[in-house]
Amino acid sequence: MIESAREYAIFTLDLDNRVTSWNSGAQRLLGYSEAEILGQSGRIIFTPEDNEQGKSERELHIALTEGQAENKRWHIRKDGSRFWGTGFVMPLQNGDDVMHGFIKIMRDETAQRQAEERFQALYDTTSDLLATEQPLTLMHNLFSKLSAQLELDYYFNYMVEEKDDRPMLHLKNYEGISDEAALEIEWIEIGQHLGGLVAQKQQQIVMDQAQLSSHPNAQLNCSLGVTAYAGQPLIVQGRLLGTLSFASRTRIHFTPEETNLLQSTCHQMVIALERTNLLNSIQQQAEQLQRANQIKDEFLAVLSHELRSPLNPILGWAKLLQKGNLNPERTTTGLEIIERNAQLQAQLINDLLDISRILQGKLSLNQMPVDLSAVITAALERVHLAAVAKSLQIETTFSPNARTVIGDAGRLQQVVWNLLSNAVKFTPQGGQITVALTQTDIHAQIQVTDTGIGINPDFLPYVFEHFRQEDGATTRKFGGLGLGLAIARQIVEMHGGTIAAKSPGDEQGATFTVQIPLAPRLGERPSTELSSDSTGDLTSISILVVDDETDSREFVAFVFASGMEALQAIEQSTPNLIVSDIGMPDMDGYMLLQQIRAQLPASQVPAIALTAYAGEFDRTQALQAGFQQHLAKPIEPAEIVTTVARLCERKKKDA
């Protein structure tokens, strides 16, 4: 029975631990013939480290005292190879219960043991990778666990990075070679050596000793004495992050189970890298949201301050004027202050509307050939008084051969005015501002340079972002919403140009450079008219004005406070034109116009929407409702008159 049990090694030992019998299963498992092994010590099949600790003798002692000893450990065959043997040892007794030896039964469970170890290694690797925010820092620990199982001598971890304006592989972690040798292969091309080939093919590459000796990409590995190689790409969502390669100098190949373990390990590394990237992305987004929320709070505080500040002198001087105690000179001064602060508030609102249009992608341009010298001159006129008040010197240099550009003259003037007004605001008393218009082969270039407070290098990258100000504190020295440069950048980019800021640092001035593509040499005469001062002739024109706000009605004309009053007036007399508010109680401007259009078509009586609903959506809705023009409050008297005159003139031509 013992001889027929070929799957088990069954042999006996005497009390001195010498082999006394040996079945064919033992010969097959351990490699010794019966003639070779009889009389040999049982220690012959134990590993050196176990023999140093006396494991063979201890096993017999346990069997003798307890009746049985378990045997689960690595053993040594005749050829020196190891296997995981499991079984037990029991004492042998004769009929008189006299102990005269031991019987040992065991079988080879190396495959199961290795599978358990591979699973444990993979489990440990996964646990370690999930517990860290920097997976690549665990490479050495990971390698030490795998090398004991798979007899590994080297590993190379490359990551894809930019170098010389192209993606290359950068050696980030390694073991088994000197630092000097690592420097020689610190950067390799994708496709170079075996690691580069793994990156190029983006698939696992496994080679045995014969394949390595003949492969053109394996020369580096062969020079290191590598006899077995396995390389794996690190890919996240189709994007190559790098490669991870393992190599051995003591074995000639890796088994399929071992390559699967290495592949699974690399896959866990990829999952950990993806998790880290996701966590970093979430953290960055959280920081960005937090910063955006902070910017929003700062902006709302600044907006409230900037909108309220002009109201104080407006209301104050209005009350003084109402009392009628001011002499003519003081009266003129008060009116000028009221007008200046009202214009300032209107400018703030216009900037907000422009930013709203920009964010919605609805900022439009009225393009035509434009003479930039005229644009700059008009912008200079707008800042002239402010510059004189601070005793600033403004020098201009216009290239005599500067060509025109294709663009919106009004919007380009807005860009230059923003740059000039910033230069005036941030340049101290007696400073200097230089404005230069030149051209390159393909661009017209405007440069505004000042000797002002300069821009901190840390803030310079954010200078063109909307709602961003270098100083957002309540103690800040300079007003404004921080929108001007953001609007300027958008307008310049819509013209196909660029805008850039440069400053050596605090208190060292700043230079803003705008480049706009030149217009073709053949084309229309450039536009130099940036605005119209024509007020038109409104003689004998009957205008129906509808607004629930008394002050607004009296500003335009003294007429009707509600839609019902307007409809009653139309029944008595047909006006030449209608100017109506939108937001009114009981009947808004859209409902009013709908009833008017049932009686009077647009060709007979055009209509203007004059409203505080000033967004792009409101403008579109007004035009769709049947209004011919949309004007936003507040508005200059001249603009109202000009718009009315233009519509009435168009009506005459259509008639």
Side-chain angles (χ1 to χ4, degrees):
M1 181 187 68
I2 290 175
E3 185 60 29
S4 65
R6 297 181 55 82
E7 294 299 319
Y8 291 86
I10 303 175
F11 55 95
T12 57
L13 303 163
D14 62 17
L15 294 175
D16 294 326
N17 196 18
R18 290 190 299 268
V19 178
T20 55
S21 69
W22 192 257
N23 80 331
S24 59
Q27 181 174 334
R28 181 188 60 80
L29 178 58
L30 292 157
Y32 295 99
S33 66
E34 187 176 22
E36 291 175 310
I37 197 68
L38 290 179
Q40 297 287 338
S41 171
R43 293 168 57 92
I44 197 171
I45 65 170
F46 280 73
T47 64
E49 54 268 29
D50 281 352
N51 281 326
E52 286 180 7
Q53 298 178 32
K55 292 290 182 69
S56 178
E57 291 76 10
R58 187 179 305 171
E59 185 180 81
L60 297 182
H61 176 73
I62 293 173
L64 191 62
T65 56
E66 298 183 10
Q68 180 175 309
E70 279 193 331
N71 175 40
K72 290 185 178 181
R73 59 176 48 86
W74 290 102
H75 293 81
I76 301 292
R77 294 187 179 96
K78 178 182 176 181
D79 62 7
S81 62
R82 297 189 178 204
F83 70 95
W84 183 260
T86 65
F88 57 89
V89 180
M90 293 189 302
L92 287 176
Q93 297 173 326
N94 59 20
D96 299 328
D97 293 332
V98 176
M99 199 78 60
H100 63 87
F102 302 90
I103 183 169
K104 190 166 188 174
I105 303 173
M106 65 179 182
R107 65 181 300 177
D108 182 4
E109 292 190 358
T110 305
Q112 296 91 319
R113 173 67 178 181
Q114 289 176 336
E116 290 175 3
E117 288 185 342
R118 286 195 294 268
F119 177 80
Q120 187 63 43
L122 192 58
Y123 175 81
D124 293 341
T125 299
T126 303
S127 300
D128 291 344
L129 290 174
L130 290 176
T132 181
E133 295 181 0
Q134 300 294 331
L136 294 180
T137 60
L138 296 180
M139 287 302 305
H140 293 297
N141 185 41
L142 172 64
F143 176 73
S144 65
K145 291 181 179 180
L146 293 174
S147 61
Q149 285 189 56
L150 307 181
E151 301 176 47
L152 302 176
D153 296 290
Y154 303 100
Y155 87 89
F156 305 95
N157 169 222
Y158 280 94
M159 300 300 289
V160 178
E161 295 181 10
E162 287 287 328
K163 185 184 181 186
D164 301 330
D165 298 325
R166 68 182 190 278
M168 294 185 67
L169 292 174
H170 188 198
L171 185 61
K172 305 294 287 188
N173 298 286
Y174 60 89
E175 194 162 312
I177 59 174
S178 65
D179 293 341
E180 292 76 12
L183 281 175
E184 296 180 5
I185 56 172
E186 181 181 5
W187 290 92
I188 64 173
E189 301 280 354
I190 293 178
Q192 184 182 8
H193 303 312
L194 286 180
L197 188 63
V198 170
Q200 186 180 60
K201 292 183 175 296
Q202 296 194 18
Q203 63 184 28
Q204 186 186 49
I205 293 179
V206 180
M207 291 188 182
D208 58 24
Q209 186 174 21
Q211 292 169 320
L212 287 166
S213 62
S214 59
H215 199 283
N217 285 61
Q219 294 178 359
L220 171 66
N221 301 80
C222 291
S223 68
L224 295 172
V226 172
T227 53
Y229 173 88
Q232 180 74 27
L234 304 176
I235 299 175
V236 172
Q237 296 182 352
R239 182 169 62 93
L240 178 69
L241 299 182
T243 64
L244 184 55
S245 303
F246 300 95
S248 173
R249 291 182 305 174
T250 57
R251 53 189 309 167
I252 60 173
H253 71 281
F254 292 119
T255 66
E257 293 78 14
E258 290 166 342
T259 57
N260 286 339
L261 171 62
L262 294 176
Q263 189 174 36
S264 298
T265 300
C266 293
H267 183 62
Q268 294 301 318
M269 176 66 70
V270 166
I271 292 174
L273 289 171
E274 184 177 17
R275 169 180 168 274
T276 299
N277 291 339
L278 181 60
L279 289 175
N280 290 338
S281 176
I282 292 173
Q283 183 177 358
Q284 290 174 1
Q285 290 178 20
E287 291 172 355
Q288 290 172 356
L289 288 173
Q290 184 178 4
R291 178 57 185 153
N293 193 53
Q294 180 183 349
I295 292 171
K296 179 205 70 175
D297 292 341
E298 292 175 358
F299 172 73
L300 290 176
V302 171
L303 175 62
S304 175
H305 174 269
E306 292 299 314
L307 289 176
R308 287 173 179 271
S309 294
L311 289 176
N312 188 52
I314 290 173
L315 293 173
W317 278 98
K319 289 185 178 298
L320 292 175
L321 290 170
Q322 283 176 344
K323 292 179 180 180
N325 297 328
L326 301 178
N327 59 38
E329 182 179 350
R330 294 289 287 169
T331 298
T332 301
T333 300
L335 291 173
E336 289 175 350
I337 291 173
I338 290 173
E339 180 185 14
R340 182 166 63 250
N341 282 276
Q343 288 176 343
L344 175 60
Q345 197 169 51
Q347 182 61 50
L348 293 173
I349 293 170
N350 287 337
D351 283 349
L352 288 171
L353 290 174
D354 279 343
I355 281 295
S356 176
R357 294 185 185 103
I358 288 170
L359 294 177
Q360 296 178 62
K362 293 183 177 180
L363 188 68
S364 59
L365 300 178
N366 181 22
Q367 302 220 29
M368 62 181 68
V370 177
D371 180 358
L372 287 180
S373 61
V375 167
I376 296 172
T377 301
L380 285 168
E381 290 175 357
R382 291 187 63 183
V383 301
H384 175 70
L385 291 177
V388 170
K390 296 181 71 173
S391 301
L392 302 179
Q393 292 184 355
I394 299 182
E395 296 184 0
T396 59
T397 304
F398 291 172
S399 176
N401 61 344
R403 283 169 35 210
T404 61
V405 300
I406 299 295
D408 187 316
R411 288 298 185 182
L412 289 174
Q413 181 190 348
Q414 185 179 358
V415 171
V416 179
W417 175 80
N418 268 317
L419 298 181
L420 286 172
S421 61
N422 272 0
V424 171
K425 180 193 297 185
F426 297 117
T427 301
Q429 196 86 11
Q432 183 173 326
I433 298 171
T434 303
V435 184
L437 173 62
T438 57
Q439 75 175 47
T440 65
D441 292 339
I442 58 174
H443 291 102
Q445 178 172 288
I446 303 171
Q447 271 195 330
V448 178
T449 304
D450 63 62
T451 58
I453 64 172
I455 304 172
N456 188 291
D458 294 336
F459 185 72
L460 201 56
Y462 310 105
V463 73
F464 292 107
E465 291 188 8
H466 50 264
F467 307 136
R468 290 295 290 267
Q469 295 190 96
E470 186 172 357
D471 182 6
T474 56
T475 56
R476 64 197 187 118
K477 299 178 181 178
F478 304 99
L481 297 179
L483 299 178
L485 291 178
I487 294 170
R489 180 182 67 173
Q490 184 67 29
I491 292 172
V492 169
E493 290 179 351
M494 288 177 68
H495 282 81
T498 60
I499 185 170
K502 183 172 65 175
S503 174
D506 293 335
E507 307 302 331
Q508 299 185 62
T511 297
F512 288 84
T513 303
V514 174
Q515 289 189 330
I516 304 291
L518 292 169
R521 291 189 178 275
L522 298 178
E524 301 178 39
R525 184 176 178 180
S527 170
T528 59
E529 296 184 6
L530 303 178
S531 62
S532 173
D533 293 329
S534 171
T535 57
D537 183 8
L538 302 185
T539 305
S540 303
I541 294 177
S542 172
I543 303 173
L544 176 65
V545 179
V546 189
D547 198 313
D548 63 322
E549 291 289 340
T550 304
D551 293 342
S552 295
R553 292 200 308 275
E554 291 182 349
F555 170 62
V556 182
F558 183 70
V559 275
F560 303 105
S562 71
M564 293 305 300
E565 290 183 18
L567 290 174
Q568 293 170 5
I570 290 175
E571 291 178 359
Q572 304 297 323
S573 175
T574 301
N576 297 104
L577 183 137
I578 298 170
V579 178
S580 176
D581 191 12
I582 296 297
M584 299 182 293
D586 299 326
M587 180 184 296
D588 64 21
Y590 301 132
M591 298 167 61
L592 171 63
L593 193 64
Q594 184 179 11
Q595 295 199 34
I596 291 174
R597 286 287 176 255
Q599 306 174 39
L600 301 171
S603 59
Q604 184 177 347
V605 182
I608 297 173
L610 178 61
T611 175
Y613 293 100
E616 187 65 26
F617 172 79
D618 304 303
R619 177 181 178 276
T620 302
Q621 190 174 7
L623 296 179
Q624 290 175 346
F627 288 96
Q628 279 62 57
Q629 287 287 337
H630 173 273
L631 299 179
K633 299 176 182 179
I635 189 169
E636 294 284 347
E639 186 175 352
I640 296 179
V641 175
T642 300
T643 304
V644 169
R646 189 182 301 121
L647 277 179
C648 291
E649 184 66 26
R650 187 186 305 168
K651 175 185 172 185
K652 290 178 183 178
K653 291 180 180 179
D654 294 341

